[in-house]
Amino acid sequence: MAYNHVRNFLLRRPSLFLCSVRLTSLCSQACLQCRIPSQSDGSFFEPESFEVVCRKLYKYGTRILILSGGEPALHPQLEDIFAIAKKYRFRSMSILSNLYYSEAQQDKVIGLSAKYGIGIHTSYDGLGDTADRLRGAKDVQATVERAMNRINELRKQGIYQRKPTATVVISALNIDQIPDIIQRLQDLDWNLNADLYRWGSINHREQDVLKLNDKAKVIQTINLIRRTKNLKTPLWYYDGLLKYQAGKMKKQCPYLISPTFGSKFFVHENGELHTCMDGSLGNLLNDEVKDIFRSQPWRDMQRGFINCQGCWNNCFTVSSRALSYLHWPTIRQLMMMKSSRT
């Protein structure tokens, strides 16, 4: 398999090293910023099809597998999905879940995650009524924290062995709560990823009420986040983010800079392979991966990356250039995170 990675690196072709598989576009919330559930046809990734995809992904070079949605925990055969993923021994496996469902379902999902070695990542965007408004649901904070505390109970027992992560999307609605959100996540002993609200991708809604117009407050908030001990987002990212927003930094696209190991791909529940841009590259249920990256849709997509005005976000930019991590504050941050796990 290392040969495939080296070959793709030399040819500057993707290796699908990191791949996200969407189990369903159905969701238990109706977030202001997300358009995925509104496009749902109500389908789920069938286990038999999921196995076909996992087999092709692992054979081609995928080592980091992310299960996403919608809300992936809504999948009625979640244990079958987890068992198939574990069978292929990906280096890292995780599920992106909002944790917003019944207590019984929470116990089931958390238990299965511990059993099959699946890491849990969630969203924690607000407190009280602000969380409910952002997430389009009721009692969001209490419901999510119930699951987070359940995970912590299993951590104390040594059953769940990873330190989980919560992502905060900073918007005009929650920016004044960020100090309290940081403190709450520190109290819960969860890692933090933090990014600014954006709407440029096909999965996000443009909402004026979420737009960050107070630049001074944004800088103040980012500086506060940079000092957070449980921060997982690399510090170099925020240096570039402020420069990018000021028009002093070029786009840093992983598909162009580091296509083999940095680019991210997404498999939809019907088997279609996607990037951050609109349009399918092919279908993994019918097509071989190597043929997809020799196809006209992939060549067209590459031209699209070149012509794209670019972005700077936590989803793509952080994997775009390995040399960005040769940044002393980031190196020190990573060393501190490693020591905190031992």
Side-chain angles (χ1 to χ4, degrees), residues 220-262:
Q220 180 183 12
T221 302
I222 287 177
N223 287 334
L224 173 65
I225 289 169
R226 288 175 58 93
R227 298 192 298 271
T228 302
K229 293 181 180 179
N230 58 331
L231 180 67
K232 196 172 182 181
T233 309
L235 289 173
W236 67 260
Y237 169 78
Y238 296 111
D239 292 346
L241 175 62
L242 294 175
K243 291 178 182 178
Y244 183 82
Q245 292 200 327
K248 299 178 180 179
M249 179 72 79
K250 295 181 179 180
K251 70 179 183 182
Q252 197 161 306
C253 175
Y255 297 99
L256 298 175
I257 299 171
S258 182
T260 304
F261 297 110

Side-chain angles (χ1 to χ4, degrees), residues 65-265:
L65 184 72
I66 300 172
L67 305 177
S68 67
E71 174 45 61
L74 296 179
H75 198 293
Q77 296 168 283
L78 191 63
E79 182 165 14
D80 293 338
I81 295 293
F82 280 9
I84 292 168
K86 184 177 182 180
K87 172 182 174 182
Y88 286 92
R89 298 182 180 180
F90 294 98
R91 184 179 301 173
S92 173
M93 298 180 292
S94 58
I95 182 171
L96 305 184
S97 174
N98 60 35
L99 299 176
Y100 186 80
Y101 26 85
S102 70
E103 187 170 0
Q105 181 71 357
Q106 287 177 343
D107 286 344
K108 175 183 176 182
V109 173
I110 294 167
L112 289 175
S113 297
K115 177 181 178 180
Y116 290 98
I118 309 288
I120 295 178
H121 298 259
T122 195
S123 297
Y124 195 95
D125 290 334
L127 308 173
D129 292 340
T130 299
D132 292 354
R133 185 178 181 189
L134 285 167
R135 292 276 150 182
K138 294 181 179 180
D139 300 321
V140 171
Q141 181 186 355
T143 303
V144 172
E145 286 193 8
R146 182 178 66 200
M148 295 170 80
N149 282 315
R150 177 58 178 152
I151 292 170
N152 284 346
E153 290 174 9
L154 297 186
R155 289 172 66 194
K156 291 177 182 177
Q157 298 171 31
I159 298 173
Y160 186 93
Q161 299 182 351
R162 301 187 182 196
K163 185 173 182 178
T165 300
T167 295
V168 180
V169 176
I170 304 166
S171 70
L173 287 183
N174 70 359
I175 192 167
D176 291 328
Q177 290 189 341
I178 296 303
D180 293 326
I181 290 173
I182 291 173
Q183 185 59 56
R184 188 70 191 120
L185 290 175
Q186 287 179 336
D187 292 343
L188 288 163
D189 191 31
W190 277 52
N191 285 327
L192 163 69
N193 276 327
D195 205 0
L196 304 183
Y197 165 66
R198 56 189 171 90
W199 59 91
S201 82
I202 58 174
N203 292 328
H204 291 86
R205 294 184 187 277
E206 182 176 359
Q207 300 275 21
D208 288 340
V209 71
L210 298 178
K211 292 180 179 179
L212 291 158
N213 298 314
D214 189 333
K215 293 183 179 180
K217 185 179 285 188
V218 170
I219 293 173
Q220 180 183 12
T221 302
I222 287 177
N223 287 334
L224 173 65
I225 289 169
R226 288 175 58 93
R227 298 192 298 271
T228 302
K229 293 181 180 179
N230 58 331
L231 180 67
K232 196 172 182 181
T233 309
L235 289 173
W236 67 260
Y237 169 78
Y238 296 111
D239 292 346
L241 175 62
L242 294 175
K243 291 178 182 178
Y244 183 82
Q245 292 200 327
K248 299 178 180 179
M249 179 72 79
K250 295 181 179 180
K251 70 179 183 182
Q252 197 161 306
C253 175
Y255 297 99
L256 298 175
I257 299 171
S258 182
T260 304
F261 297 110
S263 54
K264 242 178 171 179
F265 290 84

Side-chain angles (χ1 to χ4, degrees), residues 262-330:
S263 54
K264 242 178 171 179
F265 290 84
F266 307 86
V267 184
H268 289 190
E269 55 267 43
N270 61 1
E272 289 184 350
L273 184 66
H274 290 256
T275 66
C276 62
M277 303 184 76
D278 197 11
S280 170
L281 295 171
N283 193 302
L284 291 181
L285 297 179
N286 306 314
D287 305 323
E288 294 300 323
V289 180
K290 59 181 178 61
D291 294 331
I292 289 176
F293 290 123
R294 294 169 179 166
S295 69
Q296 189 61 45
W298 173 240
R299 290 191 287 271
D300 293 341
M301 189 75 72
Q302 288 178 300
R303 284 192 288 271
F305 296 140
I306 294 171
N307 297 326
C308 173
Q309 65 179 7
C311 60
W312 194 279
N313 63 70
N314 207 346
C315 187
F316 297 97
T317 309
V318 293
S319 65
S320 59
R321 179 178 281 127
L323 291 177
S324 294
Y325 286 82
L326 297 179
H327 172 254
W328 173 240
T330 301

